[in-house]
Amino acid sequence: MVIVNLDLVRAFEQAVTAGDVEAAAGLVTDDIEVGGPRGSASGLNVFRRWVASSGISLETVQLFGRGDTAVAVQKASWAASADVHTVATEFGVRAGRICRVIRYDDGVDVALAAAGLGRTDELPL
């Protein structure tokens, strides 16, 4: 059974893209793990600061998932630049809320391997 779903990922994207700290915080656990190329940290306060300051816009173009783990291939841009990058974000879910968000800039295959997923775990958009 797939627990991670596109609606949850899209709600996360909308809240983060809008910089809506409260909406984003409502989708995650208090011990959320947030990570990316600069490292990782945990906790709702860390997450709130990230949402408030990241300036990132996200759009999922491909989704992989099984159980409580998903990887979203996303088009990402930041307020400081007009460039659009493709990133892969690993999502973990616990009790219907996101407990892990880790961004990988070095390709979907790296993110899938880290998440324990494969290409056969692709979900329809």
Side-chain angles (χ1 to χ4, degrees):
M1 176 172 91
V2 174
I3 298 170
V4 176
N5 64 48
L6 186 57
D7 291 339
L8 184 58
V9 172
R10 291 206 191 220
F12 174 86
E13 288 176 341
Q14 286 178 335
V16 169
T17 296
D20 188 336
V21 175
E22 293 309 311
L27 299 170
V28 304
T29 61
D30 289 344
D31 63 346
I32 178 88
E33 178 186 4
V34 180
R38 296 181 189 169
S40 67
S42 296
L44 193 52
N45 288 335
V46 168
F47 178 75
R48 286 174 179 275
R49 283 191 302 272
W50 175 76
V51 172
S53 66
S54 73
I56 194 170
S57 294
L58 298 166
E59 177 190 357
T60 293
V61 296
Q62 192 173 23
L63 185 67
F64 300 85
R66 182 171 13 95
D68 60 359
T69 303
V71 170
V73 178
Q74 299 166 309
K75 296 295 181 189
S77 60
W78 287 263
S81 171
D83 295 339
V84 176
H85 302 272
T86 299
V87 301
T89 304
E90 176 188 352
F91 290 91
V93 172
R94 183 174 65 241
R97 298 174 87 188
I98 297 169
C99 63
R100 183 176 59 256
V101 178
I102 308 292
R103 190 182 91 221
Y104 295 86
D105 292 348
D106 43 4
V108 66
D109 290 320
V110 172
L112 289 172
L117 300 173
R119 295 271 180 179
T120 59
D121 292 308
E122 186 170 358
L123 301 172
L125 292 181

